[in-house]
Amino acid sequence: MSVKVGQTVEGVVTGITNFGAFVELPGGETGLVHISEVADTYVKDIRKFVKEDEQVRVKILSVDGDKIGLSLRRVKENKEKLVSFEDKMAKFLKESDERQRDLRKNTEAKRGNRDSIK
């Protein structure tokens, strides 16, 4: 199978180094997920994110001869972009209601719930 830049494919982690993880792609080709392409956060130990023989989805960033550059984090970005506006709005409203409920509960606790004194 020939790989093309921009494709998202399944692969198996075959090796882990302190600078990234090697992933065997369908067709037997091997690419590298550089440590900067593992997650959106700072990655000190790549082994906290991937394990050897683990099946992963990767996005192909570059193909330069035998070198194939891969990304794990950009696959996740694409999934997040597929969330509809309505879903995002529903999530926001739910979180907002929960924050308001907690705020009201804390405010009533500090006031001593004066309604019960009447």
Side-chain angles (χ1 to χ4, degrees):
M1 169 184 167
S2 101
V3 293
K4 294 184 176 100
V5 174
Q7 275 184 315
T8 301
V9 295
E10 296 272 336
V12 177
V13 178
T14 58
I16 297 176
T17 66
N18 57 357
F19 59 85
F22 291 96
V23 177
E24 185 176 335
L25 304 173
E29 297 171 297
T30 299
L32 173 69
V33 178
H34 188 267
I35 195 165
S36 65
E37 290 293 332
V38 173
D40 289 329
T41 60
Y42 175 73
V43 178
K44 185 173 183 177
D45 183 9
I46 194 169
R47 287 170 181 80
K48 292 183 179 179
F49 293 88
V50 293
K51 308 281 185 242
E52 283 196 42
D53 299 323
E54 178 182 0
Q55 186 142 4
V56 293
R57 290 185 56 81
V58 292
K59 183 171 185 172
I60 299 170
L61 300 180
S62 64
V63 179
D64 184 20
D66 291 340
K67 296 181 181 180
I68 301 173
L70 306 172
S71 175
L72 284 167
R73 73 180 176 98
R74 296 193 193 189
V75 171
K76 294 174 186 169
E77 285 177 2
N78 287 344
K79 286 183 180 177
E80 290 172 7
K81 288 179 184 175
L82 295 177
V83 177
S84 71
F85 174 77
E86 288 79 14
D87 291 340
K88 289 180 182 179
M89 183 59 84
K91 180 181 176 188
F92 170 78
L93 290 173
K94 179 181 174 192
E95 290 172 355
S96 179
D97 286 343
E98 290 171 358
R99 283 191 294 264
Q100 289 294 322
R101 195 175 319 114
D102 290 341
L103 183 61
R104 275 189 236 110
K105 188 186 330 178
N106 289 338
T107 304
E108 289 174 3
K110 289 179 183 176
R111 290 183 181 171
N113 200 1
R114 295 180 184 161
D115 293 337
S116 63
I117 298 174
K118 293 181 182 178

